[in-house]
Amino acid sequence: MERVVPTALPEDTAAEVVQMIIRATRKWDSLTYIYVLNHDKRPAGVVTIEELFAAAPSDTMAHIMRGNIEQVDPYIDQEQAAIIAIRNDLDAAPVIDSRGRFIGAIDHDSILDILRYEHIEDMLRLSGIQAERPIVDIVRARATELVRLRIPWLVLGLVGGMFATVIIQSFEHALERELALAFFIPVIVYMSDAVATQTETIFIRSLSLEEIDIKKYLAREALVGMILGVILSGLLFAFAILYLQLLNVAAIVSLAMLASISTAVFIAIFIPLLFSKFKKDPAFGSGPFATIIQDVLSIIIYFAIATLILFR
């Protein structure tokens, strides 16, 4: 937060403010805006330097200012502060204390730095890298440090993979009945993960950027998942028929694809939402965690459908 920034009263004229800026005895930390404050030091609006010099000398700040500016609390998460500025089309965000009085501003340079830092942090967290140190230092970290940061979610993924192996083994009777089912395990799991990753990435960004009506958002994504599932399962059905010429296998893999993709959408939204509800960054572990759950769920769905069709 920058504290040494120009402020003015609503009744101050453009000429008076220009002279105040020129004759200042201290160097300004930022000249992005002149912050117009009421007599109780509550922000009333902002005026850009361009607007100030373009105004007539007798124009008051109240006449040329942009009002209804959203302010930020000094203890707000830095990413939220940057997003508030962007959402309100501001190059800087005024900061107020607990009594609503102006105490400084987050300038455009800081906003850009915040957005860059948060973007890198989210990408690392979505990859399952738990950074406890400044994010930019990771590129210079030692091999042992990188292993320590990356291993937790990888171990959890390995445990999930072992569990998936046990599940497949429990459906051994289905594989014995139709070995061709084994050929399609990778594509069922991969496509479910791919759809989940797309949905999750968009949802996490949406959570950060704006207020979301969860019911409407979920209904829309459910429709998107269903449409994607129909298209992809249709293509897989055609491939299975042409390649293997087995109707029962084609039916199993296509239905499993449809069901897995449809559920992937819900998993991809539920996990980040759960993290957010517990006041954690939605990106923190959502990617690896959701992937493990979706992989296991896809395998269960696949073999459950296979069992129903093969042994009906």
Side-chain angles (χ1 to χ4, degrees):
M1 182 180 68
E2 309 292 356
R3 291 185 177 274
V4 184
V5 294
T7 62
L9 295 171
E11 62 268 24
D12 289 343
T13 65
E16 291 172 339
V17 175
V18 168
Q19 289 302 310
M20 179 270 294
I21 292 173
I22 293 173
R23 295 176 180 175
T25 57
R26 54 186 177 176
K27 183 179 179 181
W28 301 110
D29 291 335
S30 168
L31 275 174
T32 302
Y33 290 124
I34 294 89
Y35 296 90
V36 183
L37 311 179
N38 294 322
H39 289 276
D40 57 0
K41 294 189 177 180
R42 296 176 183 271
V46 295
V47 177
T48 66
I49 290 294
E50 293 86 349
E51 291 169 337
L52 178 66
F53 282 92
S58 59
D59 284 345
T60 63
M61 293 294 99
H63 178 69
I64 62 176
M65 74 179 185
R66 173 184 168 187
N68 298 318
I69 300 300
E70 190 172 357
Q71 299 101 32
V72 299
D73 183 275
Y75 301 105
I76 194 174
D77 180 85
Q78 64 175 9
E79 184 177 25
Q80 288 299 316
I83 289 168
I84 286 172
I86 293 170
R87 190 166 58 214
N88 289 273
D89 195 25
L90 292 171
D91 293 328
V95 183
I96 56 173
D97 64 15
S98 58
R99 288 182 283 183
R101 298 178 303 183
F102 180 82
I103 55 174
I106 303 173
D107 200 28
H108 57 86
D109 289 340
S110 296
I111 289 173
L112 289 175
D113 286 342
I114 289 168
L115 291 174
R116 175 179 174 272
Y117 181 93
E118 293 290 339
H119 172 72
I120 295 172
E121 182 181 58
D122 284 351
M123 291 303 101
L124 290 173
R125 285 179 172 176
L126 281 169
S127 302
I129 299 175
Q130 302 185 50
E132 301 166 356
R133 55 192 288 173
I135 298 298
V136 292
D137 289 347
I138 286 181
V139 296
R140 297 187 292 271
R142 293 176 299 178
T144 53
E145 178 71 3
L146 289 173
V147 170
R148 188 182 68 82
L149 293 174
R150 295 170 64 174
I151 198 64
W153 282 115
L154 294 176
V155 170
L156 185 60
L158 179 60
V159 173
M162 293 174 182
F163 184 52
T165 301
V166 172
I167 293 172
I168 293 172
Q169 193 274 333
S170 68
F171 285 100
E172 185 178 3
H173 60 290
L175 290 173
E176 289 175 349
R177 180 74 174 267
E178 191 56 76
L179 182 61
L181 291 174
F183 306 158
F184 291 91
I185 293 174
V187 71
I188 296 293
V189 172
Y190 169 77
M191 292 308 301
S192 300
D193 284 345
V195 171
T197 299
Q198 290 178 342
T199 304
E200 188 179 63
T201 302
I202 295 170
F203 182 59
I204 289 174
R205 288 296 84 198
S206 299
L207 276 178
S208 300
L209 294 173
E210 57 185 301
E211 294 293 328
I212 297 176
D213 185 326
I214 294 297
K215 290 183 179 179
K216 289 184 179 179
Y217 191 94
L218 194 57
R220 188 196 69 179
E221 288 302 312
L223 178 61
V224 170
M226 183 63 69
I227 294 171
L228 290 173
V230 169
I231 294 170
L232 295 170
S233 62
L235 293 172
L236 188 59
F237 179 85
F239 171 78
I241 284 289
L242 292 172
Y243 186 63
L244 297 175
Q245 298 179 351
L246 296 172
L247 181 59
N248 59 345
V249 173
I252 290 168
V253 296
S254 60
L255 287 174
M257 177 75 79
L258 177 61
S260 295
I261 287 176
S262 297
T263 57
V265 170
F266 289 97
I267 295 296
I269 292 176
F270 175 75
I271 299 300
L273 201 59
L274 188 65
F275 274 83
S276 181
K277 192 168 183 65
F278 286 97
K279 308 300 181 184
K280 298 291 185 180
D281 187 333
F284 187 75
S286 293
F289 190 50
T291 297
I292 295 163
I293 293 175
Q294 186 56 49
D295 287 354
V296 172
L297 187 59
S298 296
I299 291 170
I300 293 173
I301 289 171
Y302 183 39
F303 283 105
I305 291 173
T307 301
L308 287 173
I309 291 178
L310 293 176
F311 299 97
R312 59 182 177 177

